[in-house]
Amino acid sequence: MNAKEYLDLEKSYGAHNYHPLPVVVSKAKGVWVWDVDGKKYIDMLSSYSAVNQGHLNKRIVKAATEQMKRVTLTSRAFSNDRMGAFLKKLCEVSGMEMALPMNTGAEAVETSIKLARRYMHTKKGIPENEGDIIVCENNFHGRTTTIISFSSDPDSKKGFGPFAPGFVTIPYNDPKAFEKAITKKTIGILVEPIQGEAGINVPSPGYLKELRRICDEKGVLLILDEIQTGFCRTGKMFCFQHEGIKPDILCVGKALGGGLYPVSACLASRELMSVFTPGSHGSTFGGNPLAAAIGEESLNVLLDEHLDKRAVEMGEYFVSRLKEVNSSKIKQIRSKGLLIGVEFQLGPKETVRPICEKLMAAGVLAKDTHEKTIRFAPPLVISKAEIDWAMERVKPVFEGA
Ligand SMILES: *Cc1c(COP(=O)(O)O)cnc(C)c1O
């Protein structure tokens, strides 16, 4: 089959809930992917930062294949010999005390909402079936019915109501608005340390610290969604570590599965996590031995290869190369580590999609985030030479845009 036939086949039988670039990938390694015609591309998306360790990372593939020869699924009806060590490591790298393993990011967020509500209902006197979680404009926390209820993106919501109550929206990067929005019935704030899907929105320095201070003062919970910013992407294992604070509840996913498998978790203190009792929450696949083996090795790779430092160094180099691009259409470059957004000055109806298509033709796979911004978030194993390879192609496309 040729590329067009693959695209048509998928279009005929697959729901059209995405608008992918028309590249048909059949192979990948490190920062590289190849299409069905054997053409090579550099991956600047890393599946929304789920492939921080690089495609087909040798150690993670080995851990997975070895585990596949032993046992892959027990369900939580039985214990397995992999989950404890995995969760211990996850707690160690995050500084949290306990973890509840799930599969997808949205499930980690759902778990954090249940945990926060039950804690405030049973321990802090907010009456059952009451209480609000504060969220931010332009948030992205996943696609379940509860989560889209507090999205501000009309495309994510239209036709999917009725929506779940219990959420209050405030502007992002505005601690004063948060302080003002808190009432006796506030459960906490759910927030991304950097808004990825909103266009790599990097808040002012001290934002998280300020949220932490307000949460402590008012006795409400700080719930951080580090599903995209976590696991070394921004130059630290977690983005909150840049500000020397700790959340009450932490949602992780994406790169925890090393690009091989969906692995997510919700982390918290022992005190908070104690509100979950047998039967109150669960997942057939959450914490399965294959996920645990992959998750543990995914963390080992991040630690052993110092991918936090690498994200800092390569991020600085990448941004310096992007700044050399001579184009009046580039409005702003926003970044932290290897999470980079290039925002373009375009007409009101124009998007960066045509630029992404030109980049694709040149061998660079990058995707728009929020219409006017192109995200560069390659696997963290990227080298200077690979960034140079990409920039040789990015520069002429941007300068001709
Ligand atoms: C990707 C993402 C999610 C959702 O993760 P899924 O695995 O797609 O359910 C939630 N929050 C953030 C910040 C994300 O980037």
Side-chain angles (χ1 to χ4, degrees), residues 48 103-107 109 140-143 192 194 196-197 225-229 254:
Y48 305 91
N103 313 285
T104 64
E107 288 174 318
V109 173
F140 183 84
H141 297 288
R143 300 292 197 167
E192 300 155 85
I194 292 171
E197 297 317 298
D225 177 347
E226 290 245 22
I227 291 164
Q228 185 160 161
T229 51
K254 293 207 165 110

Side-chain angles (χ1 to χ4, degrees), residues 278-299:
S280 60
H281 189 53
S283 162
T284 302
F285 287 90
N288 74 67
L290 181 58
I294 289 171
E296 191 180 343
E297 197 63 0
S298 296
L299 293 173

Side-chain angles (χ1 to χ4, degrees), residues 108-154:
V109 173
E110 289 277 351
T111 303
S112 77
I113 293 168
K114 288 169 84 171
L115 170 55
R117 284 179 175 166
R118 190 181 259 213
Y119 178 75
M120 294 305 261
H121 291 148
T122 58
K123 310 267 175 164
K124 298 286 164 184
I126 293 184
E128 189 80 10
N129 295 315
E130 290 183 33
D132 290 310
I133 293 176
I134 295 172
V135 297
C136 293
E137 274 165 20
N138 298 317
N139 68 71
F140 183 84
H141 297 288
R143 300 292 197 167
T144 62
T145 46
T146 292
I147 292 172
I148 61 158
S149 295
F150 56 84
S151 169
S152 53
D153 169 24

Side-chain angles (χ1 to χ4, degrees), residues 7 13 20 26 102 132 142 147 153 157 185-186 234 253 265 375:
L7 288 167
Y13 291 99
S26 71
M102 298 294 284
D132 290 310
I147 292 172
D153 169 24
K157 298 185 79 156
K185 290 186 179 167
T186 299
T234 72
R375 166 175 23 209

Side-chain angles (χ1 to χ4, degrees), residues 37 41 50 78 80 85 91 115 153 166 228 230 265 267 274 278 295 346 352 359 378 400:
D37 300 316
Y41 304 81
F78 314 128
N80 69 69
C91 287
L115 170 55
D153 169 24
Q228 185 160 161
L267 295 110
S274 71
L346 300 169
V352 291
L359 286 175

